[in-house]
Amino acid sequence: MEDQTMSNLERSRIARADQGTYETEVSIGGREDLATITEECSKNPGHTTFKSVENLSLQDFPQEYQDPDVLECALRQASLTVCLVVNYTSPSRPEKFPGSDNNYPFYNMRGSNGSRFGTGSILAIHDIDQYSSNCKCYCKECIASGNPKTEWGKIIVLTAKHVVFNDEEGQHTEIELFYDSVTRDQVCKLSGTVKYEQMDYDWCMIYCPTHDMTLVRKLQDNLHRYDDLKRNLHTKYMPLTPKLAVVTSHPHGCHKQITVGTWTEREELGPKHTRYTYTADTCPGCSGAKVWILAEYEECMHTCHMHSQAITVHRNMSGVGWY
Ligand SMILES: [Zn+2]
Ligand SMILES: [Zn+2]
């Protein structure tokens, strides 16, 4: 029985603890409680190792990676990082992971509208006009207008399934791009539909239509540059067996932060399937964030490593990625 005298902060704390080692943020009171939640953070008090997009510099990287291309790659990854606000928890969440005694995150929040916060990243942008002129934009604005635009794009966002479980949750998810500072002056919002998800690898893909072609081109440029930098840096540093790991995320559902560390364990989970443990700091809200492992180059963006869990304070673990 829910205690009505309990404060939203207290209820958020209980719901957050319920996810075990996963790192979603929960704020029953919505965004307005996030500043207090950040201040009360016990995992990384003060968040001194977290750098905003504006403050990240070469000195934040270990000496051997103080390379302008490494800095640019981290910032390009950040430009493709989105904040996810999930305002509904699906009744379909299972109590336990299939075939396991481990609790599945947020079973106890099923059916509630308390907000959960996570991170996602843009993994592809399709320019629709290029492929088919018959197809029309289905963003909310176009549906409401009755006159859908014919030139539009589809932005594909990747996150963790424990953050956005299915389309029922996807329909209640706000996707915020360019949330880079407290002022929120650059924020641009998208919404979309969950098309694919997989429980054992903990990933979920959201397709977001938009007819803002300036946005589509900007994201395409960022993605191409990010991919080129990542591939070139991989080739350049591989002979040195690089250990760099960089997380770009929205800790506590607040503005974007970058943390830098090294990977400490690489698990092989079948042919070409890997999972990493790293020292780059993470907090609740970082679930679903992209982890750039310099030693890995995925042939395809779908297969990247996303932040999943905290093993200990400075030992964090990704979901499964493959190459
Ligand atoms: Zn539209
Ligand atoms: Zn924190």
Side-chain angles (χ1 to χ4, degrees):
M1 193 69 189
E2 200 171 275
D3 181 355
Q4 295 300 329
T5 62
M6 218 184 260
S7 73
N8 280 338
L9 283 169
E10 191 56 36
R11 288 162 64 206
S12 303
R13 204 170 292 135
I14 291 167
R16 190 182 309 120
D18 193 48
Q19 69 186 311
T21 52
Y22 290 89
E23 287 204 296
T24 317
E25 185 52 277
V26 182
S27 179
I28 305 293
R31 201 185 286 278
E32 67 185 62
D33 283 346
L34 292 177
T36 312
I37 288 172
T38 305
E39 259 170 52
E40 290 177 353
C41 172
S42 58
K43 191 183 178 206
N44 291 293
H47 300 97
T48 52
T49 57
F50 291 68
K51 302 291 169 170
S52 67
V53 166
E54 197 188 353
N55 291 333
L56 185 74
S57 72
L58 281 178
Q59 283 66 47
D60 295 313
F61 293 85
Q63 204 167 6
E64 60 270 44
Y65 307 109
Q66 291 185 2
D67 171 335
D69 284 350
V70 169
L71 176 64
E72 190 189 343
C73 194
L75 290 171
R76 292 281 176 176
Q77 176 170 289
S79 75
L80 297 161
T81 297
V82 301
C83 184
L84 299 172
V85 189
V86 189
N87 295 309
Y88 182 64
T89 300
S90 169
S92 304
R93 284 192 179 241
E95 186 174 8
K96 305 277 181 192
F97 277 92
S100 158
D101 283 338
N102 297 332
N103 290 337
Y104 194 79
F106 306 117
Y107 175 76
N108 292 323
M109 274 184 83
R110 286 170 308 139
S112 91
N113 291 108
S115 301
R116 292 181 288 106
F117 297 80
T119 302
S121 63
I122 292 168
L123 64 89
I125 305 115
H126 298 315
D127 181 337
I128 304 299
D129 197 45
Q130 202 178 312
Y131 302 109
S132 160
S133 54
N134 301 323
C135 198
K136 290 176 180 171
C137 181
Y138 59 96
C139 77
K140 283 179 182 160
E141 196 187 315
C142 283
I143 287 172
S145 77
N147 184 21
K149 300 267 198 289
T150 50
E151 191 188 15
W152 59 290
K154 202 181 275 176
I155 298 172
I156 303 175
V157 171
L158 182 70
T159 187
K161 184 171 164 77
H162 75 270
V163 175
V164 182
F165 184 75
N166 55 16
D167 193 45
E168 204 176 3
E169 292 189 4
Q171 293 305 316
H172 293 83
T173 299
E174 299 165 49
I175 300 170
E176 300 186 331
L177 286 80
F178 313 120
Y179 179 17
D180 291 358
S181 70
V182 267
T183 61
R184 296 176 57 79
D185 56 340
Q186 303 291 319
V187 171
C188 163
K189 293 189 182 190
L190 291 174
S191 57
T193 306
V194 171
K195 285 282 183 193
Y196 303 102
E197 29 82 15
Q198 201 181 354
M199 192 178 284
D200 51 351
Y201 285 1
D202 195 24
W203 62 258
C204 163
M205 249 185 241
I206 309 171
Y207 282 40
C208 310
T210 176
H211 54 260
D212 179 347
M213 297 312 285
T214 310
L215 174 69
V216 168
R217 306 272 180 260
K218 181 178 174 178
L219 292 173
Q220 280 174 333
D221 286 349
N222 281 340
L223 189 63
H224 291 152
R225 180 73 183 143
Y226 171 63
D227 197 36
D228 284 348
L229 283 164
K230 216 173 144 177
R231 188 176 49 244
N232 294 342
L233 287 166
H234 177 77
T235 309
K236 179 175 172 182
Y237 282 89
M238 268 326 265
L240 310 170
T241 49
K243 292 282 180 135
L244 185 70
V246 179
V247 179
T248 52
S249 66
H250 288 277
H252 306 292
C254 293
H255 67 285
K256 196 175 289 167
Q257 301 287 332
I258 299 143
T259 49
V260 177
T262 53
W263 63 264
T264 52
E265 270 167 68
R266 178 182 194 266
E267 284 172 83
E268 300 251 7
L269 297 143
K272 295 190 167 189
H273 288 58
T274 55
R275 179 162 59 198
Y276 282 87
T277 305
Y278 36 89
T279 62
D281 285 326
T282 57
C283 275
C286 294
S287 272
K290 198 158 187 173
V291 187
W292 172 31
I293 305 283
L294 178 48
E296 288 270 344
Y297 180 74
E298 307 94 2
E299 292 284 319
C300 157
M301 288 284 189
H302 297 55
T303 60
C304 66
H305 294 82
M306 279 179 299
H307 176 63
S308 183
Q309 300 179 60
I311 310 298
T312 61
V313 173
H314 300 296
R315 215 172 133 244
N316 301 303
M317 193 170 77
S318 72
V320 179
W322 60 101
Y323 59 93

